[in-house]
Amino acid sequence: MSPARPVDVAGLVAGVREGRRAAVSRAITLVESSRPDHRTAARELLAELTPEAGTGSPAVRVGISGVPGVGKSTFIEALGTHLTGQGKRVGVLAVDPSSVRTGGSVLGDKTRMARLAVDPRAYIRPSPSAGTLGGVARATSQAMTVLEAAGHDVVLVETVGVGQSEITVARMVDTFLFLTIARTGDQLQGIKKGILEIADVVAVNKADEDHEGEARVAARELAGALRLVRGHKEWAPPVVTCSGLTGTGVADVWERVLGHREHLAAEGLAAKRAGQQLEFTWALVLEELEHRLRRSPAVAAVREEVRAEVLAGRMAAPEAADRVLAAYDGA
């Protein structure tokens, strides 16, 4: 087998800065890779692109989540088309569910967003989560840096579903938008309190002509629930209705997102992103330590023995963990 060709980091940096789609795709593939040589190259790439991403007005980073069947992809297509129609460049990072066993993923967002996928001012990137939230945090955060350096004005991150991945994404965006629908029967009971605690804007989707009344009732109920959950905090998340299918209310949702951004102001946005970078730093440290632990020859030497002892019930988990860590520390 021939040795892998080294990554042309300088060429990628130049291509991303020029906004070339192929270069952007290769750069994101690089930051998603777990190969040691790719991880090294990705660090070089990001070191060059991060100052570029920080120049001028930073891109608007929005995380979008919602219950299954809420119509996230339809809404994102409507919002993306609305924004490109205003002359903005839009990047969409769709975090797809991946199989923990095989690492396979659906990657169907380009099919679900057919109109936006062919828009020259839009870029859609389905990214497999590979079954790990750590992978989502690293790949998605770094992909946003690539898109921002490539000149995208807005970056939309569609999450896997309702769960821990929402918390992960909310910690790397400027504004977190939660989509829901009226006809769930138990919309308030079915929405986790934690999601309402982190939402900056809430939109009741599928408020089509036949269901507009239901959507407005659901919006009022959610607004009441938010007051109970959030209390009298400085920012009161607005609750609005929209239809991704018809486009009704989508512009209003975007105005609410911009309203939240104006509320943060430049100083608040900078402080929020700085805090996110600090948190991300420690996430990267933990991920790198895990990689080193797995590659350690000293750990490999005791792994099978520890495994056999734990499976046989002769060694408790805390003792086994101490044994592995002692092997690593003594390497």
Side-chain angles (χ1 to χ4, degrees), residues 138-261:
R138 177 174 62 84
T140 305
S141 181
Q142 295 175 346
M144 285 194 293
T145 299
V146 172
L147 290 176
E148 195 163 332
H152 288 81
D153 305 295
V154 180
V155 179
L156 307 175
V157 183
E158 178 188 3
T159 65
V160 174
V162 177
Q164 186 60 36
S165 61
E166 272 61 30
I167 308 297
T168 302
V169 170
R171 288 173 175 168
M172 63 178 74
V173 296
D174 307 327
T175 301
F176 189 73
L177 168 63
F178 179 69
L179 287 180
T180 187
I181 48 178
R183 298 174 300 283
T184 59
D186 58 346
Q187 58 263 26
L188 296 184
Q189 291 82 0
I191 296 172
K192 294 183 179 180
K193 179 182 176 183
I195 298 297
L196 295 182
E197 287 176 340
I198 63 174
D200 298 307
V201 178
V202 178
V204 181
N205 193 26
K206 300 188 178 181
D208 309 320
E209 187 175 336
D210 294 340
H211 304 287
E212 187 176 353
E214 293 175 328
R216 292 189 182 281
V217 170
R220 285 197 298 271
E221 291 178 350
L222 280 169
L226 277 166
R227 284 193 292 271
L228 290 174
V229 171
R230 303 284 283 263
H232 300 286
K233 292 189 177 180
E234 190 177 354
W235 172 255
V239 184
V240 296
T241 61
C242 65
S243 170
L245 189 62
T246 65
T248 304
V250 171
D252 182 40
V253 174
W254 181 245
E255 289 303 315
R256 305 301 178 129
V257 170
L258 294 181
H260 176 252
R261 190 177 179 82

Side-chain angles (χ1 to χ4, degrees), residues 2 7 9 19 33 71 76 89 110 169 176 204 214 217 253-254 262 272 281 327:
S2 60
V7 178
V9 175
S33 176
I76 289 172
R89 293 185 63 196
K110 287 193 175 183
V169 170
F176 189 73
V204 181
E214 293 175 328
V217 170
V253 174
W254 181 245
E262 290 174 8
K272 183 172 188 175
T281 297

Side-chain angles (χ1 to χ4, degrees), residues 5-226:
R5 289 192 304 171
V7 178
D8 179 10
V9 175
L12 271 185
V13 169
V16 169
R17 286 174 174 167
E18 292 170 7
R20 297 204 300 264
R21 297 174 75 90
V24 170
S25 294
R26 288 199 302 271
I28 294 178
T29 297
L30 183 66
V31 302
E32 288 177 345
S33 176
S34 59
R35 273 177 44 175
D37 59 327
H38 283 178
R39 290 165 68 86
T40 300
R43 283 194 289 271
E44 295 177 21
L45 175 80
L46 293 164
E48 291 291 328
L49 293 181
T50 298
E52 188 79 12
T55 59
S57 178
V60 182
R61 299 177 174 181
V62 183
I64 301 176
S65 178
V67 296
V70 76
K72 290 193 294 293
S73 295
T74 303
F75 172 82
I76 289 172
E77 180 170 58
L79 176 60
T81 303
H82 168 71
L83 294 172
T84 58
Q86 295 180 340
K88 298 186 184 300
R89 293 185 63 196
V90 179
V92 179
L93 297 173
V95 181
D96 275 341
S98 296
S99 166
V100 176
R101 281 188 171 182
T102 66
S105 58
V106 178
L107 303 182
D109 293 274
K110 287 193 175 183
T111 303
R112 297 197 298 271
M113 305 178 197
R115 188 160 47 112
L116 191 61
V118 297
D119 191 321
R121 301 192 68 83
Y123 176 88
I124 300 176
R125 174 73 180 208
S127 300
S129 66
T132 67
L133 290 174
V136 171
R138 177 174 62 84
T140 305
S141 181
Q142 295 175 346
M144 285 194 293
T145 299
V146 172
L147 290 176
E148 195 163 332
H152 288 81
D153 305 295
V154 180
V155 179
L156 307 175
V157 183
E158 178 188 3
T159 65
V160 174
V162 177
Q164 186 60 36
S165 61
E166 272 61 30
I167 308 297
T168 302
V169 170
R171 288 173 175 168
M172 63 178 74
V173 296
D174 307 327
T175 301
F176 189 73
L177 168 63
F178 179 69
L179 287 180
T180 187
I181 48 178
R183 298 174 300 283
T184 59
D186 58 346
Q187 58 263 26
L188 296 184
Q189 291 82 0
I191 296 172
K192 294 183 179 180
K193 179 182 176 183
I195 298 297
L196 295 182
E197 287 176 340
I198 63 174
D200 298 307
V201 178
V202 178
V204 181
N205 193 26
K206 300 188 178 181
D208 309 320
E209 187 175 336
D210 294 340
H211 304 287
E212 187 176 353
E214 293 175 328
R216 292 189 182 281
V217 170
R220 285 197 298 271
E221 291 178 350
L222 280 169
L226 277 166

